[in-house]
Amino acid sequence: MDKIIKEYDNSNNLIYIADFVTGKGYKVKNEVKKNSDTELELEKHIKKIRGDKRRQNNFFGILVNKLLNFKKSLDDMKLFKCLGWLYILLLIVLIYQFTSNNYILNSLLSIQNNYSSWEFILGIFLFFIGVICIHEFSHILIARMSNILVLKLGAKFKYYIFPIIYVKAMPTSFRMKKVNIAFAGLIADLLIINIYIFLYLTLENYFFLIALKFHFLLFIFNYNILLPTDFTQAFLNLIHKEKFRDTAFKNFKTLVLNSNSDINVNKTQKYIYVLYSLLFVVFWLFILMNIILTFINALS
């Protein structure tokens, strides 16, 4: 698909242009009217600079875009409100399940192994099924409901340590679309946890508890503000600070290297950026130390 995606403001000014071939998006800083000669020149320029670059898509992304082809994009704020109410509802259900079944929370926090090897393997398998079929699909569904094309479903090691499954979608300049796509993952986590608790209480099979334990850890991890988690992306975009992490790390780098910076910030912002960056460093030192200690204990 040789497609150029354009986004306009309320005055029909081009504000963002994205290339489906490379999967890259570009902000338009100058005033460019819809269907103007300047817009056509920009489109030609973007096609020209493609070179050998091609987006990293797969058959799954192409299939999803065809199957989930909504004729009209939903209003971003209305969708956000619906997602917000769904989040509150699922959170209330989860709190009720924990308070009415105290041993569920105790089982989550327990490190005792009361299950067999096959139950553990089945639990891990069920956990990944939940991540792909519910968590990642929630991102895909909201992206397509917002008329955002999906490029691929993939897997990788984040920071060379954390194995993650992820959805890559076309970039967009619309802040609330990005908020809704990220927010969907948090709602999906609540839904999955509630489903696992219900299945465990009903069927009393340990592999549901194992899947629940792993997804509960993912649920907590997904609120880590130090990493680009669903919560971080949704929150920073919601408060108009989507570039906060990049700016914080650039500011910290110039401070450590004692080099000149083109980032214009006041003292308060600088302290916040430094604090955030230091917490990020401490977090990774903690992770690294635990990996080393675990490796040493395994060898001894």
Side-chain angles (χ1 to χ4, degrees):
M1 184 189 291
D2 186 15
K3 188 173 183 180
I4 298 294
I5 300 164
K6 304 166 189 175
E7 295 178 352
Y8 303 90
D9 61 14
N10 294 329
S11 302
N12 274 337
N13 289 315
L14 182 67
I15 57 174
Y16 198 78
I17 186 165
D19 186 4
F20 188 73
V21 173
T22 61
K24 290 187 175 182
Y26 309 89
K27 282 186 178 181
V28 180
K29 296 181 179 179
N30 300 325
E31 184 177 307
V32 178
K33 286 293 181 182
K34 188 175 183 178
N35 297 326
S36 65
D37 292 338
T38 308
E39 181 182 308
L40 293 174
E41 288 297 323
L42 273 175
E43 187 173 336
K44 289 179 182 178
H45 177 69
I46 287 173
K47 289 181 179 179
K48 186 178 179 181
I49 63 175
R50 282 174 182 167
D52 296 328
K53 296 177 182 177
R54 289 292 181 269
R55 58 190 167 87
Q56 296 179 334
N57 69 323
N58 53 22
F59 175 75
F60 179 82
I62 297 170
L63 182 64
V64 162
N65 292 327
K66 288 183 178 180
L67 293 177
L68 298 176
N69 189 16
F70 297 93
K71 293 182 179 180
K72 188 177 179 181
S73 175
L74 295 182
D75 180 79
D76 296 332
M77 282 308 300
K78 287 182 179 178
L79 182 57
F80 176 71
K81 289 177 182 178
C82 290
L83 292 174
W85 282 114
L86 182 58
Y87 179 88
I88 292 170
L89 176 63
L90 289 171
L91 186 60
I92 291 172
V93 172
L94 180 61
I95 293 171
Y96 171 77
Q97 294 212 76
F98 278 152
T99 53
S100 59
N101 303 284
N102 292 329
Y103 70 94
I104 289 291
L105 189 57
N106 293 332
S107 298
L108 283 176
L109 301 176
S110 174
I111 59 173
Q112 293 181 353
N113 299 331
N114 299 322
Y115 39 80
S116 62
S117 299
W118 75 267
E119 285 176 323
F120 181 80
I121 294 170
L122 196 57
I124 294 293
F125 177 75
L126 186 61
F127 164 71
F128 280 107
I129 291 295
V131 169
I132 296 171
C133 295
I134 300 179
H135 180 98
E136 297 304 333
F137 182 75
S138 70
H139 293 305
I140 293 168
L141 180 62
I142 298 302
R144 296 303 296 130
M145 289 174 71
S146 302
N147 202 24
I148 301 295
L149 291 170
V150 174
L151 295 178
K152 69 180 294 188
L153 175 70
K156 64 179 181 180
F157 281 94
K158 193 72 175 178
Y159 302 112
Y160 307 102
I161 294 178
F162 300 117
I164 63 167
I165 300 169
Y166 67 96
V167 170
K168 183 175 176 60
M170 280 296 294
T172 177
S173 65
F174 293 120
R175 182 176 55 86
M176 288 308 299
K177 290 185 188 295
K178 291 185 279 189
V179 170
N180 290 335
I181 293 170
F183 192 21
L186 302 177
I187 296 168
D189 287 339
L190 285 173
L191 176 62
I192 293 170
I193 290 172
N194 277 307
I195 290 173
Y196 286 155
I197 291 175
F198 174 78
L199 291 174
Y200 177 60
L201 291 174
T202 305
L203 303 175
E204 297 183 349
N205 286 323
Y206 273 114
F207 54 80
F208 290 121
L209 179 61
I210 295 164
L212 174 61
K213 282 187 174 185
F214 276 96
H215 210 95
F216 190 73
L217 287 173
L218 177 64
F219 170 72
I220 295 171
F221 177 82
N222 220 0
Y223 285 86
N224 188 341
I225 197 71
L226 298 174
L227 299 175
T229 58
D230 290 337
F231 175 76
T232 303
Q233 294 181 59
F235 177 70
L236 292 180
N237 277 285
L238 189 62
I239 63 173
H240 300 266
K241 296 291 183 183
E242 57 268 24
K243 297 294 183 182
F244 175 83
R245 296 184 78 252
D246 292 338
T247 307
F249 295 147
K250 284 180 182 178
N251 183 77
F252 186 69
K253 183 179 179 180
T254 55
L255 181 67
V256 172
L257 298 176
N258 197 24
S259 58
N260 294 325
S261 173
D262 57 352
I263 304 172
N264 187 20
V265 294
N266 57 43
K267 281 188 176 181
T268 303
Q269 288 175 317
K270 187 175 289 186
Y271 290 144
I272 292 172
Y273 289 150
V274 170
L275 177 61
Y276 181 86
S277 300
L278 285 173
L279 287 173
F280 180 80
V281 171
V282 170
F283 169 77
W284 276 111
L285 287 174
F286 174 77
I287 295 293
L288 183 61
M289 286 297 295
N290 274 276
I291 291 173
I292 293 171
L293 290 173
T294 303
F295 184 72
I296 292 172
N297 290 333
L299 294 176
S300 61

